[in-house]
Amino acid sequence: MKITDVLVIGAGLAGERCAIEAAAAGQSVLILSLVPPRRSHSCAAQGGMQAALGNCAKAEGDSPDVHFLDTVRGSDWGADQEVARIFADNAPVAVRELAHFGVPWTRLRPGTNRYHIKGQQVDIEEPEENAGLIMHRDFGGTAKWRACYAAAGTGHATLYAVDSQVVRLGIDVLDRMEAISLVHDGERCHGAVVRCLRTGRLETILAKATVIATGGYGRIYGNYTTNAVINEGVGASLALDTGVVPLGNMEAVQFHPTGLWPAGILVTEGCRGDGGYLLNAAGERFLVDLEPEKQELASRDVVSRHMMNEILAGRGENSPNGPHLWLDLRHLGEQHLTTRLREIYEICHDFLGIRPWEALVPVRPTQHYSMGGVRVNKDGQAYGLGGLFAVGEAACWDMHGFNRLGGNSLAETIVAGRFVGARIAEFVSASGPGPDSALGIQALRAQERRLAALAERGQGGRSIYAIRDELGEIMMNRLGVFRSGDEIETAIDDLNGLIKEVEGTGLRSSAPGSNPELTFALRLPGMLKLGLITAMGALARTESRGAHYRTDYPQRNDAEWLNRTLAHWREPADAPELSYEPVGLLDLPPGHRGYGASSQVEMQQTVADYNASVPAAQTAAGRLPSTEPLGARLRPGAWQGAFSAPT
Amino acid sequence: MSPTAGRTLKFEIFRYNPEDPASKPHMETFELRETPFMSLFIALNKLREEQDPSLQFDFVCRSAVCGSCGMMVNGRPSLACKTLTSQLDTTIRLHPLPAFRLVGDLSVDTGSWFRGMSEQIGGWISEKAPFDPEAKEERMDDELAQAIYERERCIECGCCVAACAVANTRPAFVAPAGLNRIARFMMDPRDVRDEADWFEVVSSDEGVFGCLGLMGCQDICPKELPLREVYAYLRRKSLGGLLGKKAKRA
């Protein structure tokens, strides 16, 4: 048994930045990771990190206020606006801190710079006085160029810089270690039971604060995801299994417009930000007419829907793996593609055998990001269970609502890591001695029994991998870019069938040690539950908001659905329980996003009445008190007068 | 494009499970029908899911950016995820990377090795002053930022370590990846360490003078890092460091 002040589960950017904050405050910190930290999925982020530094010509007039407006509009008003405010206000300092940690951000070159903007080649003069400041590139759904970047390896450069600080501070990272259950008494979390992926041995780690920083769960979409193979929802399952912590907005699933087809590998939005086009099989730029204002750079949910419509109308390129569209980067040229988009060139070279300045890149919308996750208050503390925190993609903090803007998640990892890390440090300082070890031993025994029961099943039934593949097909085909009530209902029936089936499925291998089949068998039931919660949330939400699009309810409905879905799974129930809470205090009133659909069902309440209902409703939903009162960071109306503010 | 398919591939795979007292290191043969554009990521997962669920190997990103899947492919250190079977003969021999502790079968412990290397060389920015959240970022010429990024591109896959004769025989040698990492911080003006400070780290048999110049590292680096340039830079800087040291003493 190990004892620590802070146990961080997951060594990606959010987890590590959080750990640094707690360690710098003098607390003992232990990080667990499925893989060596620098292999975490954060390393695969490519195009950029949003922060309103306003350094280049096309960023002039940018500010945290404009970033806040873009983020709330991007979320289709599903975000918690106070959290979006905390985020936008702190993103600049987070990016500058990363420069201090050594990230080699691309810098501004003064003089004439040639850009590709909306199909035109444009020469823009960058002033000498801004030479050497952090450069920005354009991204979708933003009014200004705001994404800071290091070629197309921004996640890699950032993760290496942050991990170098973890090494420097001497923070212990136990890699190849998986948390398989939380130690808790129904009111307070006290750590986790962990399983070593080298030896298979179990151990308890007791902690005053436990942090879930395990990233997303895109692998429930099988191979139809840009996510790494480790993104199997371990953290969401840990929280769900407590029975007292809800998951938020699980039906809010992002599809990235440009997943490489059919491999599913991400091709950054920075490609379109730097001037790349989307083409149909006839070679037409179909988005110019559909989105005159933003063209290829509307938000991801909007572009993905236009792309799927193009494919469904038969204008996609046919391939043995199904139809796709093209990303055209040829006009950006070899020089640009081998420097500022170098990683995209490498992917094209390694996996397609093509040179993107000569050939088109096959793409199709692909599952990419989980807006939903462990529901937390603004301090990052989970609803319903003291001492449990969540941060980054694993959390529903909730600055993304129903659609995340490109470059906002990388920025969230650092902003939230800093902010929540500081709150955790305060929490630990204020908490008394930890639990006696009996609780930890009890939790360990429960996991030993779980493993023994799995081993006793013997061989039988389909392989767990066949069940996983079926899950992926159900999710992509019936809970994809377009959804309808009928299809979701069949998905729910099928998922319930799989949940029953997996209970009786045995293992083929009894190899001593960590046993990769056993490792996956422990995760699969949780993945199926996450799939079911996604489906049930999607069925219940009879409107279209952000990435959640119902063909049978195509309008956003602020009169009935300006809320967040919460899902509990209270054992021994055999189904999740859905409830709803207000999205949070409103500052920017719901309206038109500036791209995509132009009408919605208006809210009936006044903003003042809506806001008055928020504190009590969220407390009833399990929100724990935060250090500062609700709304303290909101700065209502501060955005008025900012560029692109509504008039 | 040559999506060779329909061949029957013969995989000869190194097997050993250190957690199983009955396990002895040996080679095991599997057969698999090739599909179009099959990579070793696809092939190994198929073998595990359809033929032997106990087979151990590591993949994470499957897009050649995370560095997890370094292994010996027909005797050559390679990233398995971006190795297509169509580039290989029908008999494919797979071994774990040497120079790292074995976890099992094709899986090795690169994480501990790289953490140790980072600690050994001080693989972080030693900054001039604490971070000032109120200040604008320090300026940097974009040419220099690009040059640092070029060194930063190492994904710590361990292929160069496996390909290095010195690293295989002298565990304290920081190896090509370590030398590249040193060069990355040495050229970064945000780092306060000067040539004399680096002299201790670089100018020994554990540093750049341990290199025998066989350059297997540059030949196999999956990210095509210009390691020859790195070593020339370090040797030149070491000389400067030596002179600087004498000057300090005087």
Side-chain angles (χ1 to χ4, degrees), chain B residues 1 7 9 15 32 35 38-40 45 50 52 57 73 89 108 113-114 140 146 159-160 162 188 207 218 221 229 234:
Chain B
M1 290 193 248
R7 299 188 297 174
L9 302 175
R15 302 299 307 272
L32 193 64
T35 54
M38 180 178 260
S39 63
L40 291 183
N45 276 291
E50 295 168 5
D52 187 342
F57 49 78
V73 181
D89 288 338
V108 293
W113 192 96
F114 277 97
M140 181 183 281
Q146 280 200 22
C159 286
C160 63
D188 195 322
Q218 173 143 337
C221 175
E229 264 175 44
L234 289 177

Side-chain angles (χ1 to χ4, degrees), chain A residues 221 255 308 312 364 470-496 531-532 534-540 548-553:
Chain A
Y221 280 78
F255 297 85
M308 288 312 293
L312 293 171
R364 192 176 150 132
E470 195 178 331
L471 167 66
E473 294 297 325
I474 293 169
M475 297 307 291
M476 191 62 208
N477 294 330
R478 301 190 213 144
L479 289 143
V481 175
F482 293 122
R483 301 163 173 183
S484 72
D486 298 350
E487 298 221 332
I488 302 172
E489 278 174 16
T490 39
I492 289 172
D493 288 346
D494 291 351
L495 289 167
N496 276 319
L532 182 63
T534 304
M536 290 181 62
L539 182 66
H548 168 70
Y549 191 89
R550 286 284 298 263
T551 52
D552 42 357
Y553 296 93

Side-chain angles (χ1 to χ4, degrees), chain A residues 38-39 55 96 99 102 107 109 129 131 134 156 168 171 176 198 225 229 343 346 468 512, chain B residues 17 49 58 60 62 66 68 108-110 115 127 137-139 142 149 152-153 156 184 190 223:
Chain A
R38 295 181 183 194
R39 318 235 185 271
N55 286 339
R96 289 178 176 137
R107 300 298 177 129
R109 290 172 178 246
E129 71 206 42
I134 293 171
H156 166 90
R168 179 187 199 173
I171 300 173
R176 295 178 191 266
R198 299 165 196 260
T225 178
V229 300
E343 287 67 22
E346 289 181 349
R468 172 204 63 191
Chain B
N17 179 0
E49 292 171 14
D58 295 315
V60 178
R62 55 80 173 92
C66 78
S68 297
V108 293
D109 186 2
T110 49
R115 168 105 185 200
E127 74 273 36
E137 66 270 23
E138 207 177 307
R139 288 166 198 263
D142 191 48
Y149 184 72
E152 185 74 47
R153 288 174 50 245
E156 299 193 346
R184 179 251 172 275
R190 293 169 291 197
K223 301 308 273 187

Side-chain angles (χ1 to χ4, degrees), chain A residues 364-414:
Chain A
R364 192 176 150 132
T366 305
Q367 195 285 344
H368 180 59
Y369 189 81
S370 315
M371 274 78 75
V374 180
R375 178 66 184 135
V376 295
N377 68 9
K378 68 173 165 176
D379 290 351
Q381 190 161 202
Y383 277 34
L385 193 61
L388 179 66
F389 294 79
V391 67
E393 189 175 353
C396 181
W397 189 28
D398 169 15
M399 55 170 276
H400 306 300
F402 277 75
N403 175 68
R404 167 174 80 74
L405 294 184
N408 262 3
S409 61
L410 208 47
E412 179 190 15
T413 62
I414 303 299

Side-chain angles (χ1 to χ4, degrees), chain A residues 16-289:
Chain A
E16 286 209 325
R17 186 61 193 82
C18 213
I20 289 170
E21 203 65 26
Q27 276 140 13
S28 62
V29 180
L30 207 50
I31 307 179
L32 302 184
S33 179
L34 299 178
V35 297
R38 295 181 183 194
R39 318 235 185 271
S40 302
H41 191 47
S42 299
C43 84
Q46 297 174 347
M49 178 179 283
Q50 300 282 4
L53 304 179
N55 286 339
C56 67
K58 297 293 286 179
E60 210 180 305
D62 199 13
S63 67
D65 293 330
V66 186
H67 192 182
F68 165 80
L69 293 172
D70 285 345
T71 301
V72 174
R73 286 171 176 144
S75 78
D76 224 356
W77 278 270
D80 181 315
Q81 296 193 15
E82 184 182 14
V83 170
R85 189 36 106 167
I86 293 171
F87 165 70
D89 287 352
N90 287 289
V93 85
V95 162
R96 289 178 176 137
E97 182 188 68
L98 289 170
H100 188 77
F101 287 168
V103 172
W105 295 113
T106 298
R107 300 298 177 129
L108 185 135
R109 290 172 178 246
T112 308
N113 281 251
R114 177 154 294 182
Y115 303 127
H116 291 267
I117 302 171
K118 291 189 192 174
Q120 305 291 320
Q121 203 163 282
V122 188
D123 285 340
I124 290 180
E125 203 61 22
E126 296 289 356
E128 191 64 42
E129 71 206 42
N130 291 341
L133 294 178
I134 293 171
M135 183 59 185
H136 303 288
R137 66 164 34 128
D138 202 2
F139 252 58
T142 63
K144 296 288 176 185
W145 290 20
R146 186 180 299 130
C148 310
Y149 63 105
T154 313
H156 166 90
T158 305
L159 182 60
Y160 274 52
V162 170
D163 187 59
S164 76
Q165 295 296 316
V166 167
V167 176
R168 179 187 199 173
L169 291 168
I171 300 173
D172 277 334
V173 182
L174 305 178
D175 72 14
R176 295 178 191 266
M177 194 70 96
E178 176 167 356
I180 58 170
S181 132
L182 295 176
V183 178
H184 71 98
D185 54 17
E187 287 178 1
R188 180 87 159 72
C189 182
H190 298 288
V193 178
V194 305
R195 179 167 178 270
C196 177
L197 300 180
R198 299 165 196 260
T199 63
R201 280 188 278 277
L202 301 187
E203 190 179 8
T204 303
I205 300 177
L206 293 180
K208 291 176 180 168
T210 305
V211 189
I212 293 175
T214 50
Y217 44 90
R219 283 279 151 184
I220 68 171
Y221 280 78
N223 290 322
Y224 304 103
T225 178
T226 63
N227 284 192
V229 300
I230 53 172
N231 297 127
E232 296 181 316
V234 169
S237 294
L238 284 174
L240 189 66
D241 286 349
T242 63
V244 293
V245 177
L247 303 180
N249 278 350
M250 296 294 278
E251 66 271 31
V253 178
Q254 178 165 85
F255 297 85
H256 195 291
T258 56
L260 198 68
W261 184 254
I265 294 169
L266 172 68
V267 180
T268 178
E269 186 162 307
C271 289
R272 282 171 288 134
D274 287 4
Y277 313 137
L278 289 168
L279 304 179
N280 60 22
E284 296 157 345
R285 279 188 66 200
F286 54 95
L287 281 158
V288 175
D289 291 335

